[in-house]
Amino acid sequence: NAEYMGRSTLNYQEMAVTLARVLTGLVAFPLLLLGIQVAQIFTCIIGASIFLGLTEFRTLCRNVVLGLEQKGEADFLASQLKKQSIYIAGGLIFVGAVFGPIYLNLATMAALFCYPLCRAWGFTADVIVLEKKSDKKGSSRPFVLTIIHIALEVFGFMYIAWTLSHAILLRNTYKEGGAYVLYWIISAFQSDNGALFTGSAIGSKKFSPLVSPNKSWEGVFGAMFLSCFTGLVLWSLGSFWPFNPLLPRFALHHYLVLALLISVTGIAGDLCESFIKRAAGVKDSGALFPGHGGMLDRLDSLLIGAAASYYYVMFVVKPDGI
């Protein structure tokens, strides 16, 4: 009876999580469709996603660095972790994307140059204060901790702000930009579904047991298969309905290659976030979406795929611009 009650409780919990995911999707999907059709709304959605993603990533970084804290370093760590530089760098990249590809490149170079420079000046001041308070002269610990924190945040604004800003370019650069964005999102989500269903059903060989123990090789291949199969279905729909504004008008091989590319980059993005979460000692990046976790938990499979989709369309498909 106890075992039966335990299984029943688990089933109810799984049903509650599934229901929360469905309800969240029903609310978010219409908003996403509206954003795809209206450039200003889409830009606001991407900007908000970047801000929330950076906020959650900053919290993860804080947990990672605090895990390395030793006696007497609390004040120094507090002064380092309260800095808001990651928002400035991420915001600069986002604004650059709004104005176009050239400005995104310039903003990215400026962020990569200015962020470490500004942090170095602030770090120097903090170390001077720390040395005056500490009896232990010449310790390398402050340098090590700050370098780790700076490296994490540079990775963070590139991983989140730079990659996701390409969704704005993908939407605004081409006549069929809305269709490209929708295909990128559908392929990524179908890849997630393929990994989930296949891994749950037949998954046995672990893909990355240290970083993400629940992922399996069967789930990886299931993700790629369902993403490509979805591309085939959408191409078939486009063939029967050639003027559908929600479907890209390109050849079947572009549908399949782009779906595979989005799936592979989605798996890589998911592993990146899982690595950071494991280092931070948390299961989810946040609790923004019921049943889904935080913003980063929803974005991880989309981030790298946004940049990959944009560059594939630009260099391989080569459609007409707006």
Side-chain angles (χ1 to χ4, degrees), residues 3-200:
E3 183 180 357
Y4 174 77
M5 291 296 293
R7 290 180 179 178
S8 299
T9 303
L10 182 61
N11 290 335
Y12 282 127
Q13 291 176 346
E14 291 177 350
M15 290 174 60
V17 171
T18 302
L19 180 60
R21 289 182 174 180
V22 171
L23 292 176
T24 302
L26 290 176
V27 173
F29 192 69
L31 180 62
L32 180 63
L33 285 179
L34 179 62
I36 290 174
Q37 297 301 316
V38 182
Q40 292 82 357
I41 296 178
F42 183 73
T43 301
C44 291
I45 291 174
I46 295 299
S49 300
I50 289 174
F51 174 78
L52 293 172
L54 289 175
T55 300
E56 292 179 356
F57 189 87
R58 187 168 173 265
T59 302
L60 295 177
C61 290
R62 180 183 179 87
N63 292 340
V64 171
V65 176
L66 286 177
L68 303 174
E69 178 183 353
Q70 292 184 359
K71 185 178 179 181
E73 296 174 345
D75 292 338
F76 175 76
L77 286 178
S79 69
Q80 292 297 302
L81 297 176
K82 70 181 181 181
K83 299 183 185 301
Q84 309 290 328
S85 309
I86 192 172
Y87 293 115
I88 299 174
L92 184 63
I93 292 172
F94 166 73
V95 171
V98 172
F99 285 97
I102 295 177
Y103 294 98
L104 173 62
N105 294 334
L106 293 175
T108 302
M109 288 188 290
L112 288 172
F113 176 76
C114 294
Y115 174 84
L117 185 64
C118 293
R119 287 299 306 272
W121 283 108
F123 166 70
T124 302
D126 291 336
V127 168
I128 292 174
V129 173
L130 179 68
E131 291 287 349
K132 290 182 179 180
K133 292 182 178 180
S134 177
D135 296 332
K136 188 177 181 180
K137 303 294 183 181
S139 173
S140 63
R141 286 281 303 174
F143 296 93
V144 173
L145 292 175
T146 302
I147 288 173
I148 291 174
H149 191 236
I150 290 176
L152 283 172
E153 289 203 334
V154 169
F155 170 77
F157 69 70
M158 291 298 292
Y159 172 61
I160 298 169
W162 182 79
T163 55
L164 195 55
S165 291
H166 285 82
I168 299 175
L169 301 182
L170 188 64
R171 163 64 181 79
N172 296 340
T173 304
Y174 305 106
K175 293 179 180 178
E176 297 182 342
Y180 298 150
V181 167
L182 187 60
Y183 185 67
W184 154 59
I185 295 173
I186 291 176
S187 296
F189 285 169
Q190 286 295 83
S191 177
D192 283 348
N193 291 332
L196 176 63
F197 296 143
T198 308
S200 300

